[in-house]
Amino acid sequence: MNSLSSFRGCVLSRSARSTSPLMLDFLAPSILRHSRTRHSSTAASSPPHGARQSSQDSGAGSSKPTYILSKKQREYLDSALRVNQAGELAATLIYTAQTPQVVRSHPHLRPLMKHMYDQEAGHFSTFNKLIAKHRIRPTAMYPIWEVAATFLGWSTGVMGREAAMACTEAVETEIGTHYNDQVREILSWEADAKSRGEELDDELKEMLATFRRIRDEELEHLDHAVENDAKEAQPYDPLVNVIRLGCRAAIKISERV
């Protein structure tokens, strides 16, 4: 079983208390849906908590009213997008610092390193656009994360291919969990909407699909790392544990600062 399957199995066991198809759906990759954008339920100008849009104002072709996010839910999305942007910035800087050293000793890894970097750069661009569109404040920790990510990439690159791959494994394990949490949260909103006879607006549905797609691409990076001897890094356990702890700390700080 590859690491992606193992990861999903681990998350499934932790989520055993919820066995409905809706709550298990976050475990499977989905096709990115391109929907016509209506008004944003995440924008700062969203209707106040408790407001409900009439069926006449909901999307064309649908008789259901649109589910309006509460202030707390909008704040959750603001925080999620802020963290995601910062995390994808860090990922691009890690690969930028690692690649010259890894490729110098292992030229055959050049296409893989470029592929993973290109995907991270795409993720970063996606969240830059969402942050700007919804006028969300980026984390104030940007300068610190830039330095930390560059140092992490450089130092693990110096340690060798195995350490660089162990770094990817550690980072993507935490990021995969983080995106899963976000997907599961939005799915809970979708379930609440259905119980009210409402539906999520198209923009939020598209955001959910985007989170799923990016999560799956991040977990593919984890698979690539394991396939390229991440677990042979020395010392493996201390290195991976320190990086995972640092990722969790960075997420918590970026959510608030």
Side-chain angles (χ1 to χ4, degrees), residues 20 22-23 67 185-198 200:
S20 69
L22 174 65
M23 294 309 293
Y67 183 75
E185 180 68 17
I186 298 174
L187 284 173
S188 74
W189 302 348
E190 185 175 58
D192 185 42
K194 288 182 178 179
S195 72
R196 297 170 181 265
E198 301 171 349
L200 303 183

Side-chain angles (χ1 to χ4, degrees), residues 105-170:
S105 301
H106 304 276
H108 68 285
L109 290 178
R110 183 183 300 276
L112 175 61
M113 298 298 288
K114 182 179 187 304
H115 169 70
M116 293 193 292
Y117 171 84
D118 287 346
Q119 284 191 322
E120 299 293 5
H123 303 167
F124 185 43
S125 176
T126 294
F127 289 116
N128 283 343
K129 292 174 183 176
L130 287 170
I131 284 278
K133 179 177 183 178
H134 299 295
R135 300 192 295 274
I136 297 169
R137 174 187 59 80
T139 177
M141 300 294 288
Y142 237 85
I144 295 176
W145 297 157
E146 287 180 319
V147 172
T150 300
F151 175 77
L152 178 60
W154 175 84
S155 60
T156 53
V158 166
M159 293 172 67
R161 172 179 64 94
E162 295 84 359
M165 293 298 169
C167 174
T168 294
E169 179 189 358

